[in-house]
């Protein structure tokens, strides 16, 4: 590794050791060469190890060109990218962290990772698509779904944002958009009621923002079409540390078995988009996160 051949001196001078050469200052390299080298250094190492070394390195690590290059190298953007980016450093980290924060969203691991809140009727069950009196899911990669019964069935997941790599300044200062999605469907031969509730909470679980629309009731003898529910949390209050996701429902015929709403492919994704307009920041990951 490049950094293993560097010595960091107390006065902020960084020098490069080579077996075949006397000590020479790496800062004598042109800035564009240093930028190219930094493009290949892991992002957290850049901020936590390189940035504090000297004022030159600090200024280079903070320049937006570096983070735009790293975004291009990682495939987060293309050469013809023309969308405005308020802070390329924050953009890079949000893209690096971007993933579905819900575990086992498509029932591939049974009920694993889900907390059962209500298990009425004949309880929750996992079935394979398309299921009896059902339809195929729009995405062929999704193979299974969770299904409810004749009394209320609800399940939830609690996402710890700091444990997922999102540090406090990133959440409180930039407040990136939080995009929540879910899919539900009824059996064609039975009516049902579907429910969803999503809450952004503080470290001590006080609700700061919520998405909790009225329950959706589907009549009997429907087309069994899969329906997507989507909500974006933007410019929410500071202090969000957890996201509580809950969904479920029950059938309307009160039939024994599993005739209630089917749910699958749920997701919570922290977007690289930020509704708030801010000046460029020196925000960086906490040292405890590696």
């Amino acid at each position: 590794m490049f950094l293993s051949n560097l010595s960091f001196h107390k006065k902020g001078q960084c020098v490069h050791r080579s077996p075949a050469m006397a000590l020479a200052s790496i800062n004598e390299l042109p800035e564009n060469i240093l930028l190219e080298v930094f493009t290949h250094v892991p992002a957290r190492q850049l901020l936590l190890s390189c940035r504090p070394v000297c004022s030159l390195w600090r200024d280079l690590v903070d320049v937006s060109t570096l983070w735009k290059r790293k975004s291009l190298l990682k495939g987060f953007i293309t050469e013809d990218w023309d969308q405005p980016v308020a802070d390329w450093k924050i953009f890079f980290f949000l893209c690096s962290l971007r993933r579905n924060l819900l575990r086992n969203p498509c029932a591939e691991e049974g009920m694993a990772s889900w907390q059962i809140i209500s298990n009425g009727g004949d309880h929750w069950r996992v079935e394979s698509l398309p299921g009896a009196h059902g339809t195929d899911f729009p995405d062929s990669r999704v193979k299974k779904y969770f299904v409810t019964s004749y009394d209320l069935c609800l399940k939830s997941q609690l996402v710890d944002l700091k444990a997922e790599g999102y540090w406090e300044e990133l959440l409180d200062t930039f407040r990136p958009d939080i995009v929540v999605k879910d899919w539900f469907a009824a059996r064609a031969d039975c009516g049902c009621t579907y429910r969803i509730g999503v809450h952004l909470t503080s470290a001590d679980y006080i609700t700061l923002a919520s998405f909790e629309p009225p329950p959706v009731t589907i009549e009997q003898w429907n087309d069994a079409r899969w329906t997507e529910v989507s909500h974006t949390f933007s410019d929410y209050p500071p202090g969000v540390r957890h996201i509580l996701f809950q969904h479920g429902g029950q059938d309307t015929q009160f039939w024994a078995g599993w005739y209630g709403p089917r749910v699958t492919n749920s997701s919570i994704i922290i977007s690289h988009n930020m509704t708030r307009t801010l000046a460029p920041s020196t925000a960086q990951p906490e040292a405890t996160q590696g």
Side-chain angles (χ1 to χ4, degrees):
M1 282 288 293
F2 164 77
L3 289 176
S4 65
N5 292 327
L6 294 180
S7 289
F8 301 151
H9 289 190
K10 290 182 179 179
K11 292 184 180 180
Q13 172 128 21
C14 25
V15 295
H16 181 267
R17 284 202 178 106
S18 171
M21 297 175 61
L23 291 177
S25 173
I26 191 175
N27 288 357
E28 294 175 7
L29 291 172
E31 288 188 7
N32 65 316
I33 301 299
L34 278 174
L35 271 179
E36 180 60 28
V37 171
F38 283 173
T39 300
H40 300 276
V41 176
R44 289 177 181 267
Q45 194 169 351
L46 272 178
L47 292 174
L48 300 177
S49 300
C50 299
R51 190 177 184 276
V53 167
C54 58
S55 59
L56 173 62
W57 284 28
R58 179 197 65 209
D59 293 344
L60 288 176
V61 168
D62 286 345
V63 74
S64 61
T65 303
L66 170 62
W67 298 97
K68 187 173 183 180
R69 286 185 184 182
K70 290 181 73 65
S71 296
L72 185 62
L73 185 66
K74 285 284 190 179
F76 300 151
I77 62 171
T78 57
E79 291 282 1
D80 58 354
W81 179 274
D82 60 358
Q83 299 180 34
V85 174
D87 189 311
W88 278 101
K89 185 194 302 181
I90 296 302
F91 175 90
F92 177 87
F93 274 101
L94 288 174
C95 289
S96 299
L97 291 167
R98 189 180 188 276
R99 65 197 185 281
N100 186 0
L101 299 178
L102 290 177
R103 291 174 168 81
N104 189 28
C106 300
E108 293 296 338
E109 302 170 46
M111 300 301 299
S113 300
W114 292 96
Q115 176 72 35
I116 304 300
I117 305 302
S118 298
N119 212 13
D122 287 319
H123 314 312
W124 281 97
R125 189 163 94 156
V126 170
E127 296 181 349
S128 297
L129 283 154
H133 297 275
T135 59
D136 289 326
F137 193 77
D139 185 342
S140 61
R141 294 173 297 179
V142 177
K143 306 295 185 183
K144 295 183 178 181
Y145 57 83
F146 305 94
V147 60
T148 60
S149 190
Y150 60 86
D151 204 355
L152 184 62
C153 293
L154 293 173
K155 62 184 178 70
S156 69
Q157 276 194 48
L158 182 67
V159 176
D160 183 334
L161 293 173
K162 290 190 70 176
E164 296 293 344
Y166 295 89
W167 61 98
E168 291 184 357
E169 185 182 357
L170 178 64
L171 295 169
D172 294 348
T173 302
F174 294 91
R175 296 178 226 170
D177 289 355
I178 300 174
V179 182
V180 178
K181 295 183 179 182
D182 197 21
W183 288 82
F184 70 94
R187 284 177 57 121
D189 61 346
C190 187
C192 67
T193 299
Y194 161 83
R195 303 169 184 270
I196 183 173
V198 185
H199 306 276
L200 309 186
T201 75
S202 64
D204 51 359
Y205 306 103
I206 296 172
T207 297
L208 301 176
S210 294
F211 169 63
E212 197 163 14
V216 177
T217 297
I218 302 173
E219 299 299 326
Q220 188 180 21
W221 307 119
N222 58 82
D223 60 9
R225 182 184 74 251
W226 284 94
T227 300
E228 183 183 45
V229 179
S230 179
H231 178 76
T232 300
F233 290 96
S234 299
D235 201 14
Y236 41 84
V240 172
R241 298 294 179 268
H242 303 98
I243 304 174
L244 176 63
F245 179 99
Q246 180 176 285
H247 67 174
Q250 64 192 93
D251 80 43
T252 56
Q253 308 301 123
F254 208 71
W255 289 347
W258 296 272
Y259 291 84
R262 300 161 171 186
V263 293
T264 193
N265 204 36
S266 314
S267 64
I268 297 175
I269 294 177
I270 310 293
S271 170
H272 60 74
N273 294 323
M274 295 174 287
T275 303
R276 310 181 80 226
T277 301
L278 299 169
S281 159
T282 57
Q284 61 185 55
E286 296 170 356
T288 55
Q289 296 173 359

